[in-house]
Amino acid sequence: MSLVVASVPSGHVYVRHLSPPAPDRTRVVRLPDPPADSSPDSPWWPPRMLTSAWVDEHAADFDLMHVHFGFDALSPDDLRDVVDALHRHDKPLVLTVHDLRNPHHEAAELHDAQLGVLVAAADALITLTPGAAATIRARWGRDATVLPHPQVVPDEWLRRPRAPREAFVVGLHAKSLRANMDPLPLVEALVQAMPGMPGARLRVDAHTDVMTAGFPRHEPVFASRLTALAERGALELKVHDYFSDDELWGYLQGLDVSVLPYQFGTHSGWLEAGHDLGTWVAAPDCGFYAEQRPCLSYAADGPERTTSLVTAVRTAHSNWLAGGTAPRASVATRHTERRHVARAHEQVYAAALARRLACTS
């Protein structure tokens, strides 16, 4: 008998890889994301499932709801409406706590309030690391099942060998400068460090909206400084729109170290992709990145932020000079992990449904 799950969202790579690899089978069936507007080709954002109207209309179509992402812009009252609708129809709620601090929010208060509603209402909680589970227990008195993040890249990229190259490439991607990013001091420190690492070069990427005057997210000081550093040959600057998936995997596998220029955060899909592709990720010591996968750690803030990053990158560089490589996942280990994660989710769902049934009988 199938367990039909309204996953929010369903199409995200994390959620897709909660299913076991083919040809393995699972009882779990996830509803496709309803289009975000009248177009069937719309992405899942914003998720229409996270409305009381959608729950009321589709209650007969699913057994439980599992929330991952997508509630960034919803008020706590909006989320209470969704929870109330689920309760009206005796539908359990499962929540995976990916972020204890939203990387897109300047302040923590809204995300804290959103989590407060969802954590209190959830029939079961999941998170990715023991540290996050301990924080959930301390903050809300709830236990969360700890399950690892599944693979991010597809199998063909997991199998793809890293191309040999003579340069040691350090990459920092500023993306669209979301709220938790402060990359410029890190760039400046890495520029100063490059001459002391033979064979090393620095690549900095940024999205067009940040680098181009007239765009809403344009940052003139940041754009001007990167341009000046690139013009004097201190770094290689790449300005572009969002990568496609294959472009992103190719970019990451072309690096030896990928620097996450974050000041706060919890877990990272980018870190998982680096592990899949054999690229070191330098991650700040905030959140639980170091519990998630092997990585290079540096201080998220304070006077040691830049110096600790340079130390981490130099460690990877010394390893590279000695012929070493970053730890890399294999297809076999990732598939074994996915089977475990899929079985565990099925068990969490079945237990949540049993508890809900017991409460209503």
Side-chain angles (χ1 to χ4, degrees):
M1 184 176 179
S2 296
L3 293 172
V4 182
V5 180
S7 286
V8 185
S10 180
H12 191 283
V13 63
Y14 174 95
V15 181
R16 297 200 312 270
H17 287 168
L18 297 182
S19 298
D24 297 62
R25 295 176 179 269
T26 177
R27 292 174 59 201
V28 177
V29 176
R30 291 183 172 84
L31 296 180
D33 294 311
D37 56 28
S38 58
S39 168
D41 298 322
S42 296
W44 60 267
W45 174 265
R48 286 178 54 202
M49 287 184 182
L50 277 184
T51 63
S52 57
W54 187 92
V55 173
D56 287 336
E57 181 180 353
H58 295 277
D61 300 335
F62 67 97
D63 297 310
L64 67 131
M65 177 172 281
H66 188 169
V67 174
H68 293 272
F69 314 107
F71 54 89
D72 309 52
L74 297 180
S75 71
D77 286 340
D78 292 332
L79 293 173
R80 288 188 191 96
D81 288 343
V82 176
V83 167
D84 289 344
L86 291 170
H87 288 170
R88 279 197 303 274
H89 299 282
D90 295 324
K91 302 295 181 181
L93 170 65
V94 175
L95 172 68
T96 293
V97 182
H98 292 268
D99 298 311
L100 287 160
R101 175 77 187 272
N102 191 314
H104 301 284
H105 291 180
E106 295 284 352
E109 286 77 12
L110 175 58
H111 191 67
D112 287 348
Q114 292 165 327
L115 284 181
V117 172
L118 294 173
V119 169
D123 295 87
L125 298 172
I126 297 170
T127 194
L128 309 183
T129 55
T135 302
I136 292 165
R137 190 177 303 111
R139 189 180 295 182
W140 292 290
R142 296 288 308 274
D143 289 329
T145 299
V146 177
L147 296 173
H149 196 302
Q151 72 189 76
V152 172
V153 309
D155 288 354
E156 57 267 30
W157 278 96
L158 273 170
R159 296 188 180 98
R160 185 170 299 193
R162 292 176 62 86
R165 54 183 176 269
E166 297 181 359
F168 175 81
V169 185
V170 180
L172 186 152
H173 199 319
K175 305 181 187 178
S176 292
L177 287 183
R178 63 190 188 186
N180 71 336
M181 286 188 171
D182 181 26
L184 195 53
L186 303 182
V187 172
E188 300 278 9
L190 290 169
V191 165
Q192 293 298 316
M194 286 295 110
M197 291 186 281
R201 61 183 178 87
L202 176 62
R203 169 175 170 167
V204 177
D205 285 59
H207 286 156
T208 308
D209 56 358
V210 169
M211 298 295 294
T212 307
F215 281 65
R217 299 185 65 85
H218 178 53
E219 291 287 343
V221 173
F222 178 77
S224 176
R225 183 57 178 158
L226 286 191
T227 301
L229 289 169
E231 287 175 348
R232 79 175 206 215
L235 56 82
E236 179 183 353
L237 178 61
K238 300 288 187 180
V239 179
H240 50 79
D241 294 329
Y242 285 81
F243 283 137
S244 68
D245 284 350
D246 280 338
E247 288 171 339
L248 178 58
W249 312 146
Y251 158 77
L252 279 173
Q253 199 169 58
L255 305 178
D256 294 283
V257 178
S258 177
V259 177
L260 301 184
Y262 304 161
Q263 292 186 294
F264 56 85
T266 312
H267 302 116
S268 170
W270 194 278
L271 173 57
E272 295 289 338
H275 186 57
D276 287 338
L277 296 167
T279 299
W280 276 115
V281 171
D285 60 5
C286 58
F288 304 103
Y289 304 114
E291 290 187 13
Q292 189 179 336
R293 296 292 170 192
C295 63
L296 306 166
S297 291
Y298 70 94
D301 54 24
E304 296 183 357
R305 184 174 185 239
T306 55
T307 56
S308 62
L309 173 63
V310 170
T311 298
V313 172
R314 282 179 173 153
T315 298
H317 178 258
S318 296
N319 182 62
W320 174 77
L321 287 175
T325 58
R328 184 178 186 183
S330 68
V331 173
T333 57
R334 279 304 209 181
H335 282 196
T336 298
E337 187 177 64
R338 280 179 61 184
R339 293 183 187 99
H340 161 69
V341 168
R343 286 193 299 269
H345 274 79
E346 185 175 324
Q347 291 164 1
V348 168
Y349 295 157
L353 282 164
R355 283 194 295 271
R356 178 62 60 178
L357 181 62
C359 290
T360 58
S361 59

